[in-house]
Amino acid sequence: MDDLPGIVVTGVSGRMGQMLAREVTASGKARLVGALERPGHDWVGRDLGACMGGAALGVTVEDDPLPAFARARAVIDFTAPAATVAFAGLAAQARAVHVIGTTGLAPADLEALEAASHHAAIIRAGNMSLGVNLLAGLVRKVAAALDADWDIEVVEAHHRMKVDAPSGTALMLGEAAAEGRGIALADNMESGRHGLTGARAPGAIGFSAIRGGDIVGEHDVIFAGAGERLVLRHVATDRAIFARGALRAALWGMDQKPGQYDMVDVLGL
Ligand SMILES: NC(=O)C1=CN([C@@H]2O[C@H](COP(=O)(O)OP(=O)(O)OC[C@H]3O[C@@H](n4cnc5c(N)ncnc54)[C@H](OP(=O)(O)O)[C@@H]3O)[C@@H](O)[C@H]2O)C=CC1
Ligand SMILES: O=C(O)C1=N[C@H](C(=O)O)C[C@H](O)C1
């Protein structure tokens, strides 16, 4: 057991943090060697298992990232952009693999990750599930096969607590569609339609977001042509799919050189 590679989970009280801690602990492939929360959080100093309402795990929740990262081979981080940028610098310092599931990152955040990736491997994806990463490949192929008379719309639905839109997955799928079509997503993105919008811009890739209840994550990519419509869909019903992908990425990343990677690299798609 002691020779299993050590992993730290950040934002451990969160929806994904708890799922990740359970996945790592139950995997038999890695050891949970650290669980982080922010200073002042009421879990800090307590046993993680008890905090999650189960048996003691022998892992005390901490609030100081660097010493935790220093004893880990990998950090799995599903938190928020500002936290992820700070963790990237510290993971680079500790030479630990940084697996990033956090979405909503701004261009300046991505620049900070690029700098950190010169010192340690970073694996980042807006969706760590096998299904969505396969779907992105299908979307790229379909977009390449159809001409610009087929309108592309990405529709996503998530739980009421989600704070960013479009979702990281929707952006991944939009990027795949843009790549397939040979255009830049940034120049062709249409989202948040409201009021007298005018007609749809030719060649645009549209985004719509639904928020409600406990929806785990649903994504449709619609190719709407004249007289027919093709819909490619992924429905997540269990957050364990993301945690499983993240653990796989962490283990894979331990054999990689510093640099930036995604789930296509991890899954060999
Ligand atoms: N790539 C993928 O496959 C997936 C990505 N996600 C993404 O993961 C992220 C987290 O989602 P979810 O678990 O639902 O969110 P939650 O809000 O449930 O959890 C976020 C956690 O991060 C902590 N956190 C936030 N900011 C900081 C900070 N500055 N310093 C330290 N800790 C911080 C929060 O602590 P506190 O409560 O104190 O704020 C909380 O514990 C989102 O960006 C989401 O989109 C989610 C699922 C799959
Ligand atoms: O916040 C979530 O919950 C999810 N976020 C990711 C995203 O932004 O696409 C992945 C998944 O859809 C769940």
Side-chain angles (χ1 to χ4, degrees), residues 19-267:
M19 188 59 82
L20 288 159
R22 290 198 177 93
E23 184 69 28
V24 172
T25 308
S27 68
K29 294 178 182 161
R31 232 164 13 111
L32 187 67
V33 296
L36 286 169
E37 255 310 330
R38 10 166 155 237
H41 193 282
D42 63 2
W43 285 21
V44 173
R46 296 172 56 203
D47 183 88
L48 174 64
C51 291
M52 293 195 298
L57 282 174
V59 176
T60 303
V61 179
E62 296 165 86
D63 62 5
D64 190 0
L66 192 53
F69 290 4
R71 56 177 186 270
R73 297 278 309 279
V75 175
I76 306 185
D77 173 20
F78 286 57
T79 54
T84 289
V85 167
F87 291 145
L90 298 172
Q93 229 176 296
R95 303 293 189 261
V97 174
H98 189 188
V99 176
I100 301 174
T102 307
T103 57
L105 294 154
D109 301 329
L110 299 179
E111 279 173 28
L113 299 188
E114 164 59 24
S117 75
H118 296 164
H119 308 285
I122 290 184
I123 303 153
R124 184 178 68 85
N127 194 305
M128 301 261 170
S129 74
L130 174 60
V132 159
N133 284 280
L134 282 171
L135 176 64
L138 295 176
V139 167
R140 191 174 299 108
K141 267 196 174 163
V142 173
L146 299 175
D147 64 31
D149 279 345
W150 290 73
D151 296 327
I152 304 176
E153 292 282 319
V154 183
V155 183
E156 52 108 337
H158 284 88
H159 53 94
R160 62 164 71 100
M161 301 306 289
K162 186 161 178 63
V163 297
D164 55 309
S167 68
T169 310
L171 291 171
M172 257 176 80
L173 296 171
E175 281 290 357
E179 276 170 34
R181 191 166 262 186
I183 57 173
L185 179 62
D187 300 337
N188 291 279
M189 200 166 162
E190 213 172 271
S191 57
R193 297 185 189 106
H194 180 84
L196 276 175
T197 60
R200 191 181 195 285
I205 298 181
F207 290 84
S208 311
I210 292 163
R211 294 287 175 267
D214 60 358
I215 302 170
V216 174
E218 301 184 4
H219 293 85
D220 280 2
V221 182
I222 302 169
F223 294 86
E228 57 183 327
R229 197 157 76 238
L230 182 61
V231 182
L232 301 182
R233 167 174 297 171
H234 181 267
V235 178
T237 55
D238 187 342
R239 285 189 178 82
I241 61 173
F242 312 128
R244 232 176 276 141
L247 174 59
R248 187 163 168 175
L251 295 168
W252 179 88
M254 290 172 193
D255 296 325
Q256 309 307 317
K257 295 196 176 89
Q260 293 210 66
Y261 304 92
D262 62 19
M263 285 306 284
V264 172
D265 301 313
V266 174
L267 298 168

